[in-house]
């Protein structure tokens, strides 16, 4: 899912690709999209973008004309319009020619040049949305990347909120406090600090200050000779040992931004550098468990005391399907496998005699008909010799059905 860094890179992409371009006409929406229409029509306008956490805002600014005929034209926008986008799970922007319009282009802005180009909001899974004349969502906190000071103050001043009763991995997805953090960022941040994902969020955060100190600045040492340390000193010790989680919520996303177009590249879709940057999320050797909201949490080592009951790893399930031919070490799977194979064997044994009996009856029936026809056209001497052969005197090989029947006749005669 696109997170804070991806949405910021999307805004940079729009600003770069739309620089100097003039757009015209109305904003067109696809027929399948359930998001609202954008009531904006203008002969000439420009597009700029900005991001905040998990939102991107496009600003459509009309270009003022000095020609009297074009001033105050009916139906033409004369004021800027802001459209706020949320990307959902698969949204992104792309600038293409009109002939190369993406299949899942749900909102389109057309340039005035010929041949024209199109800036599209592409969303394959259609979980994204937009709001015309919109503003930043009121329930979202300050941006983790570009409003760092406000972000820290907002978290530290609200630690009594029930949101921090939850495990730290789930609190990090609360956009009221961590606007821009998503699934892969929370995994990378907690991994670097060696913090178990399912420990109480308040326990991790309560030792942090609302004002960040430089990373190069050493923590203040406790010079009080009294052996009993104050609560403040204990908090500083926690900070020193565990690291500053709020600082990493700011710096780790910026690392993704610094990857540049290779972190967000809708033209080439090259994510090799981003995948190489990941240390924990979907990395081989890491553990994964679904949290209380059903989101997959990637981590290393002990998950922590607040891990969900009967928690299962979606990664293990996925691998089990692919590795059916491998030797499992899980003892619970062995008897299941044996019972399954035993059932199959038993099923095959019960079906085989039935087929043989049917074949035997059919073969015997055909043989009786053949013998009957032969008896009608055969002299008495030949009939006698045939009867002798049926009693088993002849050593010539016969088909299995006849052999079985002749065996039964022999047993009956022996009795």
């Amino acid at each position: 899912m696109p997170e804070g860094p991806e949405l910021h890179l999307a805004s940079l992409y729009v600003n770069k690709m739309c620089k100097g371009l003039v757009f015209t006409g109305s904003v067109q929406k696809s027929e399948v999209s359930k998001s609202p229409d954008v009531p904006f029509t203008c002969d000439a306008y420009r597009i700029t973008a900005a991001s905040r956490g998990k939102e991107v805002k496009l600003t459509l600014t009309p270009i003022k004309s000095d020609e009297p005929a074009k001033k105050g034209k009916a139906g033409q926008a004369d004021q800027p319009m802001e459209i706020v986008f949320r990307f959902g799970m698969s949204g992104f922007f792309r600038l293409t020619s009109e002939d190369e319009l993406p299949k899942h282009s749900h909102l389109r802005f057309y340039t005035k040049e010929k041949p024209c180009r199109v800036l599209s909001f592409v969303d394959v899974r259609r979980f994204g949305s937009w709001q015309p004349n919109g503003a930043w969502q009121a329930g979202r906190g300050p941006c983790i990347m570009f409003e760092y000071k406000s972000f820290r103050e907002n978290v530290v001043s609200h630690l009594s909120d029930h949101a921090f009763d939850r495990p730290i991995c789930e609190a990090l997805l609360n956009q009221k406090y961590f606007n821009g953090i998503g699934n892969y960022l929370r995994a990378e941040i907690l991994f670097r600090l060696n913090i178990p994902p399912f420990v109480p969020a308040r326990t991790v955060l309560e030792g942090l200050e609302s004002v960040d100190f430089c990373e190069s600045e050493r923590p203040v040492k406790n010079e009080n000779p009294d052996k009993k340390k104050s609560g403040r000193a204990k908090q500083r010790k926690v900070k020193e040992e565990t690291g500053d989680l709020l600082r990493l919520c700011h710096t780790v996303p910026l690392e993704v931004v610094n990857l540049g177009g290779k972190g967000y590249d809708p033209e080439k879709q090259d994510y090799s550098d981003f995948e190489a940057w990941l240390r924990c999320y979907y990395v081989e050797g890491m553990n994964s468990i679904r949290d209380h909201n059903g989101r997959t949490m990637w981590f290393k080592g002990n998950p922590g005391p607040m891990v969900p009951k009967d928690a299962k790893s979606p990664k293990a399930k996925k691998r089990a399907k692919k590795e059916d031919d491998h030797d499992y070490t899980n003892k619970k799977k062995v008897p299941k496998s044996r019972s399954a194979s035993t059932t199959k064997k038993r099923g095959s044994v019960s079906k085989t005699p039935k087929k043989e009996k049917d074949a035997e009856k059919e073969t015997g029936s055909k043989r009786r008909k053949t013998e009957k026809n032969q008896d009608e056209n055969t002299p008495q001497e030949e009939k006698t010799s045939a009867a002798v052969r049926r009693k088993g005197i002849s050593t010539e090989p016969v088909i299995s059905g006849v052999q079985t029947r002749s065996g039964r006749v022999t047993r009956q005669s022996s009795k």
Side-chain angles (χ1 to χ4, degrees), residues 226-266:
D226 189 358
K227 293 182 179 180
K228 294 182 179 180
K229 295 183 179 180
S230 64
R232 194 72 167 180
K234 290 180 180 179
Q235 290 177 356
R236 287 176 178 171
K237 184 178 180 181
V238 171
K239 176 181 176 180
E240 182 180 355
E241 290 177 351
T242 61
D244 193 329
L245 180 95
L246 297 179
R247 182 186 298 138
L248 264 69
C249 287
H250 168 66
T251 58
V252 172
L254 289 176
E255 291 181 15
V256 180
V257 172
N258 290 334
L259 292 175
K262 293 183 179 179
Y264 178 88
D265 190 0

Side-chain angles (χ1 to χ4, degrees), residues 82-102:
E82 293 180 337
I83 310 171
V84 177
F85 289 81
R86 300 175 188 97
F87 282 18
M89 297 188 73
S90 58
F92 64 90
F93 288 108
R94 189 174 183 185
L95 183 69
T96 64
S97 65
E98 191 174 12
D99 295 336
E100 298 176 341
L101 199 67

Side-chain angles (χ1 to χ4, degrees), residues 119-178:
L119 177 68
S120 302
F121 176 68
V122 185
D123 187 9
V124 176
R125 303 186 70 175
R126 280 189 275 166
F127 289 152
S129 64
W130 59 81
Q131 186 62 48
N133 296 311
W136 302 125
Q137 195 170 14
R140 292 178 179 268
C143 179
I144 52 171
M145 294 182 291
F146 305 109
E147 297 171 325
Y148 179 46
K149 182 179 178 181
S150 300
F151 156 66
R152 284 189 70 98
E153 291 176 352
N154 185 45
V155 173
V156 174
S157 62
H158 290 88
L159 287 180
S160 59
D161 194 316
H162 290 299
F164 299 103
D165 294 339
R166 302 179 69 85
I168 184 61
C169 66
E170 295 175 14
L172 285 172
L173 296 185
N174 190 330
Q175 300 301 295
K176 181 179 178 181
Y177 298 108
F178 299 91

Side-chain angles (χ1 to χ4, degrees), residues 301-336:
N302 182 22
M306 298 181 73
V307 64
K309 293 181 179 178
D310 302 324
K312 296 181 179 179
S313 171
K315 180 182 176 183
K317 283 185 178 180
K318 187 176 180 181
R319 288 193 170 185
K321 291 180 181 179
K322 291 183 178 180
E323 299 175 356
D324 286 340
D325 295 332
H326 290 252
D327 183 21
Y328 292 99
T329 55
N330 190 343
K331 294 181 180 180
K332 293 183 180 180
K333 295 183 180 179
V334 175
K336 182 178 179 181

Side-chain angles (χ1 to χ4, degrees), residues 140-388:
R140 292 178 179 268
C143 179
I144 52 171
M145 294 182 291
F146 305 109
E147 297 171 325
Y148 179 46
K149 182 179 178 181
S150 300
F151 156 66
R152 284 189 70 98
E153 291 176 352
N154 185 45
V155 173
V156 174
S157 62
H158 290 88
L159 287 180
S160 59
D161 194 316
H162 290 299
F164 299 103
D165 294 339
R166 302 179 69 85
I168 184 61
C169 66
E170 295 175 14
L172 285 172
L173 296 185
N174 190 330
Q175 300 301 295
K176 181 179 178 181
Y177 298 108
F178 299 91
N179 186 13
I181 298 292
N183 216 23
Y184 84 79
L185 282 177
R186 67 171 179 172
E188 296 299 318
I189 292 167
L190 294 177
F191 172 79
R192 294 189 185 197
L193 295 174
N194 198 26
I195 297 175
F198 294 96
V199 296
R202 191 176 292 106
T203 303
V204 178
L205 298 168
E206 62 186 355
L208 303 179
E209 304 285 350
S210 59
V211 178
D212 189 14
F213 296 97
C214 297
E215 291 184 17
S216 59
E217 182 179 347
R218 297 180 63 83
V220 178
K221 294 182 180 180
N222 180 26
E223 297 180 354
N224 188 347
D226 189 358
K227 293 182 179 180
K228 294 182 179 180
K229 295 183 179 180
S230 64
R232 194 72 167 180
K234 290 180 180 179
Q235 290 177 356
R236 287 176 178 171
K237 184 178 180 181
V238 171
K239 176 181 176 180
E240 182 180 355
E241 290 177 351
T242 61
D244 193 329
L245 180 95
L246 297 179
R247 182 186 298 138
L248 264 69
C249 287
H250 168 66
T251 58
V252 172
L254 289 176
E255 291 181 15
V256 180
V257 172
N258 290 334
L259 292 175
K262 293 183 179 179
Y264 178 88
D265 190 0
E267 294 293 337
K268 297 180 180 179
Q269 295 184 350
D270 178 14
Y271 302 106
S272 56
D273 281 17
F274 174 72
E275 291 174 353
W277 173 84
L278 293 171
R279 302 184 192 178
C280 178
Y281 184 73
Y282 265 98
V283 173
E284 186 177 355
M286 297 297 158
N287 302 321
S288 63
I289 290 178
R290 293 194 187 276
D291 63 19
H292 293 90
N293 299 317
R295 303 288 301 278
T296 303
M297 178 65 214
W298 292 82
F299 63 97
K300 181 181 180 180
N302 182 22
M306 298 181 73
V307 64
K309 293 181 179 178
D310 302 324
K312 296 181 179 179
S313 171
K315 180 182 176 183
K317 283 185 178 180
K318 187 176 180 181
R319 288 193 170 185
K321 291 180 181 179
K322 291 183 178 180
E323 299 175 356
D324 286 340
D325 295 332
H326 290 252
D327 183 21
Y328 292 99
T329 55
N330 190 343
K331 294 181 180 180
K332 293 183 180 180
K333 295 183 180 179
V334 175
K336 182 178 179 181
S337 175
R338 288 178 180 173
S339 61
S341 61
T342 306
T343 305
K344 290 181 180 180
K345 289 181 180 179
R346 290 175 179 172
S348 62
V349 170
S350 61
K351 291 178 181 179
T352 304
K354 185 177 179 181
K355 291 181 180 179
E356 290 182 356
K357 288 179 180 178
D358 293 340
E360 179 184 331
K361 289 179 181 179
E362 186 178 353
T363 307
S365 176
K366 289 180 179 179
R367 181 185 173 283
R368 284 192 294 272
K369 289 179 181 179
T370 304
E371 290 178 351
K372 184 177 180 182
N373 294 332
Q374 290 178 350
D375 288 345
E376 293 176 355
N377 302 317
T378 305
Q380 185 65 29
E381 294 179 357
E382 293 183 5
K383 289 182 182 180
T384 305
S385 60
V388 171

